[in-house]
Amino acid sequence: MEQEQGQRRPASISVPTRGDPLLRHAAEVAGGPLGRHAAPGRVRPAVFTVGRVLILMTTAAAVLAVLIKAPCRTDGWTRPAQFYRGCYSDWTEAFQFQGLGSGLSPFAEGSTFDGPLLVGVFAGLVALLVPTSADGIVQTQSLMQYFDVNAVLIAAAWIGTVVTVMRLASRRPWDAALVAVAPIAILTATSSWVLLSVLLSVLAVWAFAQERYVISGVLLGFGAGFSVHVLLVLAAVILLAIRTGRFRGALLSGGSLIAVWVLTVLPFGPERVLALPWEYDPARLGISSSLWAGYDLLAQRLGLPVLSPVATATLAFTIFAVLVALICLLVLRAPRRPRLPQVILLLLGALVLVLPDYPPALTLWLLPFVALSYVDWRILCVWQLVELLHWWAYWMYVAREASSGVVENNIDSPYYVAAILARLLATGYLLYRVAQHILEPTYDPARRIGIDDPAGGPFDGAPDRHAPAPVLLSESPPNLTITAPRDPQ
């Protein structure tokens, strides 16, 4: 009996201050890293479980995100003040200038709302909860209430995302702290509805990990109504299905996704079903923070020809297709089957790098899957620092272009282009490190501790179908062992 109880004891969780050099040294100011004889996860804590601590951290971050917007809540969302203060929000723009504050439905005649379908539905439902004006003059109190209601709902989505990432992380639950307190999340969470699509995407991955394929597809279908990037989750599932030969989950999830997406989008117009993120509006030049906007700004300064919208969309789609082809080759020919979050991150990262219209909030797409890919925290800190600098440069440049702000408060286009390039390089290096872990699994922090693919559902522990010959590494990390995948049930 004692032996059976010992076998049923929960496995200890990975301690960040033991496994990561940066966190190990940073812990010295708070008493040092956890001792080697401690076994967290085996002893049930009284109050402060990992989940509760992460919820508290996320709540504190959400409160801070609202406090950052306090100057605009007090004085109103006016231009260029909202850009200089870093408190711009799509919520207040839609309420003030796109008809929501006048009681118009986002898709009614006279409304100028231009967001995705289900974002419009969500924004319109929230508008029903606050007083609107029939004369077209939005009251300051109503605007503040609309912001506050959205902030509460987005905070709930943020907490849900963190808890789901923690569940998917298996023995590395503290990796969800990246999603909870990432500086770029604090700055951008209340500037758009992006976290809604992020929540649906990670919930879909969680349902897939539980082998609830239809539920996963339904969540992906609704998520695609918020942002089509969610479809890349299914693409990652299909790639791993090809690698393992396990197609049932991919087929069920894909079928339910298509059914839900068509049924929710089709009533509003067939063109919405086929909407792709390659549209480029030259009127938004300098407000987009993409590679293409950076090129056009530089070309204007040097007297070179700028890209037309058609050329931009064609180049962006072509480069994305090439990157996807390389990712497919990597996934299918890697010495060991990659983990599902790694494949999702690579596909999302490829899209983020080439999107023609890119605001800083889209970084939130990557956060959960960066956390689940277990990248070194030193790299994460550098990545977040670059994102912060890019965020600041973005709003300073928008203030100049959209509102003719005070000259001494603006930045010139070369500095803005430099911030764009820094973001692209930092994101690209992050993706390179994930690809490196796929090519050399002995460097994957998850598989060092015996985790295979807890977010992979049917792929977790699955043998490779037509697996390539093992690759001999020139050098291996010391004292590391790789646990073989468990036999399929």
Side-chain angles (χ1 to χ4, degrees), residues 24 67 110 115 125 131 181 188 230 244 251 273 353 378 410 412 471 473-474 476 485:
R24 182 167 58 247
L67 291 177
L125 291 176
V181 295
T188 62
V230 176
T244 61
L251 291 174
V273 181
L353 289 176
R378 290 172 296 187
N410 296 332
D412 204 357
V471 176
L473 303 179
S474 58
S476 300

Side-chain angles (χ1 to χ4, degrees), residues 357-376:
D357 190 5
Y358 179 88
L362 295 191
T363 302
L364 297 177
W365 289 355
L366 303 181
L367 274 178
F369 303 106
V370 169
L372 292 170
S373 296
Y374 315 134
V375 181
D376 191 300

Side-chain angles (χ1 to χ4, degrees), residues 190-247:
T190 54
S191 65
S192 71
W193 289 281
V194 169
L195 269 174
L196 296 175
S197 63
V198 173
L199 173 63
L200 288 170
S201 65
V202 295
L203 283 175
V205 173
W206 176 82
F208 189 85
Q210 303 299 311
E211 301 188 13
R212 299 174 182 176
Y213 306 126
V214 174
I215 295 176
S216 177
V218 169
L219 290 168
L220 288 176
F222 283 114
F226 283 95
S227 177
V228 292
H229 87 277
V230 176
L231 298 176
L232 294 177
V233 174
L234 179 62
V237 168
I238 293 172
L239 282 176
L240 289 179
I242 296 172
R243 176 77 190 246
T244 61
R246 298 188 173 185
F247 292 97

